[in-house]
Amino acid sequence: MLKIYHNARCSKSREGLEILEKSGREYEVIEYLKEPLSENELEQLVKKLDIAPIQLVRKNEKVWKENYKDKDLSDRELITVMVKNPKLIERPVVETERKAVIGRPPSDIEKLL
């Protein structure tokens, strides 16, 4: 089953959800700001995305600029930072059993379907 890591306040995330609704496929909505991912879950998601953790970070967020921007963080430290500050996780992310994609632009989600 598909999973979408969703933030209802984000227009791109809402667009991604609409794509899933129109696909007719079953999916689960995970509001990751309300239900934060564990370090292990986030590590697995990064592996499915096939990216470095830094590529999942929203670098324009205030918390990033004020606390982490100029630090040289390891991948493990980046995962920990995103778990503690889920607002830093790029959105939306759609996941299958084997792969995942960041929905920026939302049309990238269609590649996963």
Side-chain angles (χ1 to χ4, degrees), residues 28-82:
E28 176 184 0
V29 176
I30 298 170
E31 293 189 43
Y32 65 94
L33 295 179
K34 294 179 183 174
E35 303 171 37
L37 284 78
S38 69
E39 288 192 17
N40 185 51
E41 289 170 325
L42 191 54
E43 280 178 10
Q44 295 306 312
L45 188 59
V46 168
K47 283 182 186 175
K48 286 182 182 182
L49 287 164
D50 195 27
I51 61 173
I54 190 66
Q55 293 174 275
L56 192 57
V57 173
R58 295 176 54 83
K59 295 170 199 75
N60 286 327
E61 291 291 336
K62 183 178 179 181
V63 67
W64 177 261
K65 289 179 180 179
E66 291 179 355
N67 300 296
Y68 305 106
K69 180 182 176 185
D70 298 320
K71 294 184 179 177
D72 184 21
L73 301 171
S74 69
D75 287 353
R76 159 78 34 224
E77 290 168 326
L78 285 165
I79 295 285
T80 300
V81 165
M82 286 188 279

